[in-house]
Amino acid sequence: MRIVIAGGHGQIALRLERLLAARGDEVAGIIRKAEQADDLREAGAEPVVLDLESASVDEVADRLRGADAAVFAAGAGPGSGSARKETVDKAAAVLFADAAVKAGVRRLVVVSSMGADPRHEGDEIFDVYLRAKGEADAYVRGLNALDWTILRPGQLTDDAGTGLVRLEARTGRGPIPRDDVAAVLAELVDTAATAGLTLELISGPAPVSVAVKSVAGN
């Protein structure tokens, strides 16, 4: 498969790129800064320099054309203000989805956040973030031209992955190593039977492949 990842230099994305490249997939990561390119190459991914905050749908579609699947793993990051939650976590996600439609890439996996809700109230930066992610998720769900899956991890940690997770429509809150998020994404990308599902993810009792198979087609 050829898989294009938005936010290619993110902590989850770099882990995902290593996993996909190791299993023989062709991987490209969209990055904003050219100086991040070497990190992607080391992970086995082709760097694609493009700023999703200023790019057009056509420009993004050009980078997506020919891909078998796309993953949106971009984020403004914890140090950013409210404005970039809107331009990255919402607008860039919408742009990427529209570009996937235009490029004819049906399979889209979106990394969202537990608690994402377009009706979330509050004015703190995290409130804006959850609302922006929720609005982006709602937009993606409305695109019939995509076989989308939305993944909402719990509290992200840098602990070593265990390969054991809980993946359900509702899991309740809990931690999840970034290693395990990447492993679940790698499995979701080529499990088309999870299309149309919004899934929460925390650490749990099931091996990743078992957890994904158990929700597929539900």
Side-chain angles (χ1 to χ4, degrees), residues 41-59:
R41 291 189 189 100
E42 286 176 19
E46 166 201 341
V48 177
V49 180
L50 184 69
D51 187 348
L52 294 177
E53 289 181 89
S54 60
S56 68
V57 171
D58 285 337
E59 287 172 323

Side-chain angles (χ1 to χ4, degrees), residues 96-113:
F96 194 68
D98 284 342
V101 172
K102 186 151 198 170
V105 181
R106 287 201 63 92
R107 185 73 179 124
L108 173 67
V109 179
V110 175
V111 183
S112 183
S113 175

Side-chain angles (χ1 to χ4, degrees), residues 9-212:
H9 196 258
Q11 294 186 66
I12 290 171
L14 285 168
R15 288 168 166 84
L16 176 60
E17 285 154 7
R18 290 187 193 98
L19 290 175
L20 295 174
R23 77 180 190 189
D25 289 323
E26 182 184 338
V27 192
I30 296 176
I31 53 176
R32 195 162 53 93
K33 300 175 182 176
E35 56 265 31
Q36 298 170 336
D38 284 345
D39 291 337
L40 267 72
R41 291 189 189 100
E42 286 176 19
E46 166 201 341
V48 177
V49 180
L50 184 69
D51 187 348
L52 294 177
E53 289 181 89
S54 60
S56 68
V57 171
D58 285 337
E59 287 172 323
V60 182
D62 284 344
R63 295 349 187 252
L64 282 168
R65 210 158 271 116
D68 299 292
V71 178
F72 185 83
S80 59
S82 296
R84 293 201 72 228
K85 306 304 182 193
E86 291 289 331
T87 58
V88 180
D89 294 295
K90 178 184 174 181
V94 168
L95 174 77
F96 194 68
D98 284 342
V101 172
K102 186 151 198 170
V105 181
R106 287 201 63 92
R107 185 73 179 124
L108 173 67
V109 179
V110 175
V111 183
S112 183
S113 175
M114 195 172 288
D117 185 346
R119 296 174 299 281
H120 183 86
E121 297 182 353
D123 299 316
E124 297 296 321
I125 289 177
F126 193 64
D127 297 320
V128 175
Y129 168 74
L130 290 177
R131 194 158 52 243
K133 293 296 278 185
E135 289 169 350
D137 291 354
Y139 184 85
V140 169
R141 286 196 196 104
L143 295 175
N144 294 329
L146 294 178
D147 296 327
W148 54 263
T149 302
I150 294 170
L151 182 66
R152 293 178 167 175
Q155 179 193 351
L156 298 170
T157 76
D158 288 324
D159 296 339
T162 65
L164 298 172
V165 301
R166 184 176 171 198
L167 179 70
E168 298 169 16
R170 293 281 183 273
T171 61
R173 296 193 175 274
I176 181 77
R178 288 179 173 87
D179 286 349
D180 290 333
V181 177
V184 168
L185 288 169
E187 197 81 20
L188 288 174
V189 159
D190 58 1
T191 307
T194 60
L197 299 180
T198 300
L199 300 166
E200 294 184 349
L201 174 68
I202 58 174
S203 293
V208 167
S209 60
V210 173
V212 171

